[in-house]
Amino acid sequence: VDAFQAWCGPCKAVVDLFRKIRNEVGGHLLHFAVAEVDSIDGLEEYRGKCEPVFLFYAGGELVAVVRGVNAPLLQRTILEQL
């Protein structure tokens, strides 16, 4: 989940990375979403930050968090969680 604030929008810089990984591993294993933290009470701890935050969930539980756009770390985290 790309957790973003309305004033800065979702991180478009990683869209291609996510597409590439999803094509490699298959769409049935991996799903991407965006969430505006200003409108979701459960994500209020991510408000007021000026860096992108990527939340990784498995089985409905938060399993990893990556702060900032770090393509190698994002890719490694995705593959480790799969």
Side-chain angles (χ1 to χ4, degrees):
V1 176
D2 178 359
F4 71 95
Q5 293 186 94
W7 57 268
C8 65
C11 184
K12 295 178 182 170
V14 297
V15 171
D16 289 335
L17 172 66
F18 289 161
R19 280 191 188 126
K20 175 183 175 276
I21 295 170
R22 186 166 185 204
N23 287 336
E24 290 173 359
V25 301
H28 64 286
L29 292 176
L30 189 59
H31 303 280
F32 298 108
V34 294
E36 184 180 340
V37 299
D38 299 320
S39 62
I40 301 172
D41 291 337
L43 297 177
E44 67 185 54
E45 70 182 272
Y46 302 104
R47 294 177 189 159
K49 310 289 191 278
C50 65
E51 66 182 348
V53 177
F54 300 92
L55 309 173
F56 296 87
Y57 289 86
E61 299 291 324
L62 181 65
V63 294
V65 176
V66 173
R67 296 180 184 277
V69 180
N70 179 334
L73 179 57
L74 284 167
Q75 183 168 3
R76 185 170 58 249
T77 303
I78 291 168
L79 296 176
E80 286 172 357
Q81 294 305 320
L82 289 175

